[in-house]
Amino acid sequence: MTEEKKQHSEGSLTRMLQERYKLPEWACFPQVRNQTGYGHKIRTADAIAMNLYPSKGLELHGFEIKVARSDWLNELKDPQKCDDMMKHCNRWWV
């Protein structure tokens, strides 16, 4: 018996994150930039989830979604590129 592998897209994984990190405990936003404007180095997190309960620390989780091996290999070549987003998060997930 063979198990079929399902290829996910960035959109389908983002929807899964939004389902996992949902109201009332969480607010989840796709494609969040590290700053406003266009004059500086802009970095974008694929998703940001913020815990809305003070009793749980109001944690901010950042997500970088990789669906292609080539995208993952490019990330490994320059792992510091996520630093501009990661510094604002309590947890960072790839």
Side-chain angles (χ1 to χ4, degrees), residues 41-83:
K41 185 186 270 187
I42 301 297
R43 296 291 186 198
T44 304
D46 291 322
I48 294 288
M50 181 179 180
N51 187 283
L52 303 175
Y53 291 171
S55 63
K56 294 193 176 179
L58 300 170
E59 281 202 346
L60 197 61
H61 293 217
F63 300 89
E64 183 66 24
I65 297 171
K66 301 295 178 198
V67 294
R69 184 175 180 351
S70 59
D71 197 16
W72 172 246
L73 293 175
N74 284 332
E75 187 76 16
L76 292 176
K77 289 178 187 174
D78 186 13
Q80 288 79 28
K81 76 178 194 173
C82 69
D83 288 351

Side-chain angles (χ1 to χ4, degrees), residues 8-9 14 19 21 28 34 36 44-45 50 56 70 77 87:
H8 290 286
S9 68
T14 299
E19 180 61 29
Y21 296 94
C28 187
N34 65 324
T36 60
T44 304
M50 181 179 180
K56 294 193 176 179
S70 59
K77 289 178 187 174
K87 69 182 179 184

Side-chain angles (χ1 to χ4, degrees), residues 6-13 16 67:
K6 183 177 179 182
Q7 180 68 32
H8 290 286
S9 68
E10 181 178 334
S12 69
L13 292 171
M16 286 183 212
V67 294

